[in-house]
């Protein structure tokens, strides 16, 4: 997108929904247009021209590896050359001084002798190292032969041990069969135990639910009884008030009767008189 100068909204792309598809259509439209233009050009190209561009990639792998190695070498050599060219200013002065200085044969001979002696010492060291390498090689070959002999002996011993049947093998097989039976019985018991535990849990769950239902029923019955008691108490208070009212009314009627009787007695006495 950056190379083709296509503006994309990364947030919509990371959402991975319909908006992401709209963003991807920007890229696909460009690629589709390019494919259409290439298709028109390829239609004009004949099969012979297309066969020219076919090559075997497998045969070029070695060339690719060599090119990669050469590229790494070129970069390393270029870096070293850059460093050396940076030191050229100092080396130029030393070189000009050495060239301008007159050459003395005696000093040159001494330097050459010293260099020859150094080279001879290095040659002696390399010869000694080669001799040591030969000795080490002989020692290693002897050790390898010993290891091979030990390996052959151990293999033969292993074959003999495998061919010989031990005395306790019969008992081992019997015990293995018994163990297999015990394991099968253990599996059955384990399955039964888990099933029984599941049933027990279900039974406890149902009992708990029944207990909760009974407790709820008892609570409802208690609430109903309390409501009935309160209703009865209210109705009892109303009856007492009615009785008191009736008693009051009876007392008033008795007073009136007494007054009537007194009036009658007075009238009777007056008539008698």
């Amino acid at each position: 997108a950056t190379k083709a100068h296509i503006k994309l909204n990364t947030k919509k792309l990371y959402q991975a929904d319909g908006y992401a598809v709209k963003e991807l259509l920007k890229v696909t439209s460009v690629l589709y247009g390019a494919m259409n233009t290439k298709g028109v050009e390829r239609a004009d190209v004949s099969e012979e021209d297309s066969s020219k561009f076919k090559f075997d990639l497998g045969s070029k792998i070695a060339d690719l590896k060599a090119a990669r190695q050469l590229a790494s070498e070129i970069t390393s050599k270029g870096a070293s050359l850059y460093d050396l060219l940076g030191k050229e200013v100092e080396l130029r002065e030393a070189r000009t001084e050495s060239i301008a200085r007159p050459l003395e044969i005696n000093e040159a001979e001494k330097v050459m002798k010293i260099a020859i002696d150094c080279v001879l010492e290095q040659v002696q060291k390399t010869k000694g190292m080669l001799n040591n390498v030969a000795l080490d090689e002989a020692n290693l070959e002897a050790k390898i032969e010993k290891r091979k002999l030990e390996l052959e002996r151990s293999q033969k011993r292993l074959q003999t041990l495998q061919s010989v049947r031990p005395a306790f093998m019969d008992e081992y097989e019997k015990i293995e069969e018994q163990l297999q039976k015990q394991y099968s019985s253990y599996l059955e018991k384990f399955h039964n135990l888990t099933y029984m535990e599941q049933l027990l849990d279900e039974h406890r769950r149902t009992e708990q639910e029944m207990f909760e239902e009974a407790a709820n029923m008892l609570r409802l019955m208690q609430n109903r009884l309390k409501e009935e008691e309160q209703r009865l108490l209210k109705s009892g208070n109303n009856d007492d008030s009615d009785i008191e009212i009736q008693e009051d009314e009876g007392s008033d009627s008795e007073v009136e009767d007494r007054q009537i009787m007194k009036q009658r007695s007075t009238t009777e006495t007056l008539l008698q008189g």
Side-chain angles (χ1 to χ4, degrees), residues 133-151:
V133 166
L135 292 171
D136 293 334
E137 188 177 357
N139 291 324
L140 289 171
E141 287 179 354
K143 288 180 180 179
I144 289 165
E145 288 179 356
K146 287 180 181 179
R147 295 292 182 183
K148 285 181 179 179
L149 292 172
E150 289 178 358
L151 180 62

Side-chain angles (χ1 to χ4, degrees), residues 65-79:
K65 289 181 179 179
R68 189 177 294 173
Q69 188 175 0
L70 287 171
S72 62
E73 289 178 358
I74 287 165
T75 54
S76 62
K77 294 290 179 66

Side-chain angles (χ1 to χ4, degrees), residues 30-239:
V30 175
L31 294 173
Y32 184 69
M35 290 293 291
N36 287 329
T37 55
K38 289 286 183 181
V40 174
E41 292 177 358
R42 287 176 183 175
D44 299 332
V45 179
S46 62
E47 293 180 355
E48 293 179 357
D49 294 333
S50 63
S51 64
K52 291 180 182 178
F53 296 103
K54 291 180 180 179
F55 61 94
D56 189 7
L57 186 61
S59 62
K60 301 292 182 179
I61 291 171
D63 296 335
L64 288 171
K65 289 181 179 179
R68 189 177 294 173
Q69 188 175 0
L70 287 171
S72 62
E73 289 178 358
I74 287 165
T75 54
S76 62
K77 294 290 179 66
S80 62
L81 283 171
Y82 180 78
D83 295 332
L84 292 171
L85 288 171
K87 297 177 181 178
E88 178 63 22
V89 178
E90 298 176 357
L91 295 173
R92 188 183 299 164
E93 294 177 357
R95 188 169 61 250
T96 53
E97 287 178 359
S98 63
I99 290 168
R101 189 174 58 188
L103 184 62
E104 293 181 0
I105 296 169
N106 294 324
E107 291 180 357
E109 286 180 355
K110 287 179 182 178
V111 172
M112 291 298 292
K113 285 180 180 179
I114 291 165
I116 290 164
D117 293 332
C118 291
V119 171
L120 291 172
E121 286 179 359
Q122 289 180 0
V123 169
Q124 292 294 328
K125 286 180 181 179
T126 52
K127 285 181 179 179
M129 289 173 69
L130 288 170
N131 293 324
N132 292 325
V133 166
L135 292 171
D136 293 334
E137 188 177 357
N139 291 324
L140 289 171
E141 287 179 354
K143 288 180 180 179
I144 289 165
E145 288 179 356
K146 287 180 181 179
R147 295 292 182 183
K148 285 181 179 179
L149 292 172
E150 289 178 358
L151 180 62
E152 290 177 357
R153 289 174 185 173
S154 59
Q155 286 180 353
K156 288 179 181 179
R157 188 175 179 184
L158 179 62
Q159 289 177 0
T160 54
L161 289 172
Q162 288 177 353
S163 62
V164 175
R165 184 180 176 84
F168 59 87
M169 199 67 191
D170 296 331
E171 187 177 0
Y172 173 76
E173 289 178 353
K174 289 179 182 179
I175 292 168
E176 193 174 7
E177 290 177 358
Q178 292 177 2
L179 182 63
Q180 190 68 28
K181 291 178 182 177
Q182 291 291 329
Y183 182 69
S184 60
S185 64
Y186 166 74
L187 285 176
E188 289 178 359
K189 289 178 181 179
F190 183 75
H191 289 309
N192 293 327
L193 180 63
T194 51
Y195 179 68
M196 295 298 288
E197 286 178 354
Q198 186 179 359
L199 290 175
L200 181 62
D201 292 334
E202 290 178 356
H203 183 65
R204 286 176 179 172
R205 199 180 298 113
T206 53
E207 283 184 351
Q208 186 68 24
E209 290 176 356
M210 290 172 69
F211 180 72
E212 289 177 356
E213 288 178 358
N216 292 325
M217 291 295 290
L218 287 171
R219 201 177 292 111
L220 291 171
M221 291 295 288
Q222 287 176 358
N223 293 326
R224 286 179 184 174
L225 289 171
K226 286 180 181 178
E227 290 176 357
E228 288 180 357
E229 285 178 358
Q230 290 177 1
R231 201 186 320 135
L232 289 171
L233 289 171
K234 288 180 182 178
S235 63
N237 291 324
N238 292 326
D239 292 337

